[in-house]
């Protein structure tokens, strides 16, 4: 029967089920490495922010992360020192 033949194939699709592409249709096929559908689950950064803004977060090298932390700490010290001395000329004070 039909069900037995489908079960014996292990659920694999028949080649007849796939439409045959013409030469022109093949020109419009997106290669697998460029297909966004295949990359949807590859990254943990696919939250609502990514979909809404279109901006993907990129992992920075460790040197850049450490440099950013050091610069942030120096800026915080500078602001706190200005506050302590009563110099409120900073934009964020």
């Amino acid at each position: 029967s039909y069900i037995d033949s489908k079960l014996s194939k292990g659920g694999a699709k028949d080649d007849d089920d796939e439409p045959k592409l013409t030469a022109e249709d093949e020109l419009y096929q997106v290669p697998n490495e460029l297909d966004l559908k295949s990359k949807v689950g590859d990254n943990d950064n696919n939250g609502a922010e990514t979909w809404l803004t279109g901006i993907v977060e990129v992992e920075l090298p460790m040197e850049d992360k450490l440099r950013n932390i050091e610069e942030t700490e120096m800026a915080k010290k500078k602001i706190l020192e200005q506050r302590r001395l009563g110099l409120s000329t900073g934009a964020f004070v």
Side-chain angles (χ1 to χ4, degrees):
S1 77
Y2 176 78
I3 295 173
D4 293 332
S5 67
K6 287 295 182 181
L7 288 175
S8 67
K9 289 183 183 180
K13 292 180 12 179
D14 289 340
D15 290 335
D16 298 335
D17 292 342
E18 296 178 15
K20 301 295 181 201
L21 298 176
T22 64
E24 185 178 355
D25 290 339
E26 288 180 10
L27 291 174
Y28 294 103
Q29 290 295 319
V30 177
N32 289 338
E33 63 269 9
L34 299 177
D35 189 16
L36 293 178
K37 294 176 191 171
S38 64
K39 295 182 181 184
V40 169
D42 292 350
N43 217 348
D44 291 335
N45 298 327
N46 287 326
E49 305 86 31
T50 303
W51 290 108
L52 294 175
T53 62
I55 299 172
V56 178
E57 186 174 331
V58 178
E59 188 70 26
L60 293 175
M62 186 56 74
E63 300 87 39
D64 290 342
K65 288 181 181 180
L66 293 175
R67 187 180 70 238
N68 288 342
I69 291 171
E70 290 171 355
E71 289 175 1
T72 302
E73 290 299 318
M74 285 189 293
K76 283 194 327 188
K77 284 181 185 178
K78 182 179 176 183
I79 290 173
L80 291 175
E81 185 65 24
Q82 286 177 351
R83 250 190 218 165
R84 189 179 68 80
L85 295 174
L87 303 173
S88 60
T89 60
F92 298 109
V93 178

